[in-house]
Amino acid sequence: MTEKFSRWDSADYLKTEQDCADYFALCVEDDPGDGSLIRQALGTIARARSMTQLAKDTGLAREGLYRALSADGNPEFATIMKVIKALGLHLSGTAPRSAHA
């Protein structure tokens, strides 16, 4: 008997709005500073919800969104903000925790 494996996809586990928000917040926190993890998180959330609907909500082409949010993508900041807003997410900043606080 041959075993069949499928590729693990985190989008399969983002079932609720809270799942998506928590996942995005963790990726923002853990991003190495180049936006790669944020871009990946937005792509994953978009796939979990519906890339086609996101394209409609942002006014951007579906294929362009796949490309922009891919590992090799390099979207403009305006595109990232459109995607964040269309997904109902928020990008926020906090002061770093001080070692002396």
Side-chain angles (χ1 to χ4, degrees):
M1 177 179 227
T2 304
E3 289 186 60
K4 292 186 178 184
F5 295 96
S6 61
R7 185 172 288 267
W8 187 85
D9 187 355
S10 54
D12 295 336
Y13 299 91
L14 299 177
K15 301 291 185 192
T16 68
E17 298 294 318
Q18 191 62 50
D19 291 343
C20 293
D22 291 344
Y23 178 68
F24 182 65
L26 288 171
C27 289
V28 168
E29 185 176 321
D30 290 346
D31 187 82
D34 62 0
S36 61
L37 198 52
I38 294 169
R39 188 174 57 249
Q40 176 186 341
L42 292 173
T44 301
I45 295 167
R47 285 185 294 103
R49 292 196 182 164
S50 170
M51 192 66 81
T52 300
Q53 185 61 50
L54 180 61
K56 290 177 185 176
D57 293 344
T58 60
L60 302 169
R62 188 175 63 86
E63 296 80 11
L65 284 170
Y66 274 113
R67 196 170 29 258
L69 300 176
S70 73
D72 298 324
N74 189 19
E76 292 185 12
F77 189 68
T79 300
I80 293 294
M81 291 307 296
K82 282 182 184 180
V83 170
I84 289 171
K85 184 174 181 176
L87 292 173
L89 299 169
H90 298 280
L91 184 62
S92 62
T94 59
R97 295 182 197 148
S98 172
H100 303 294

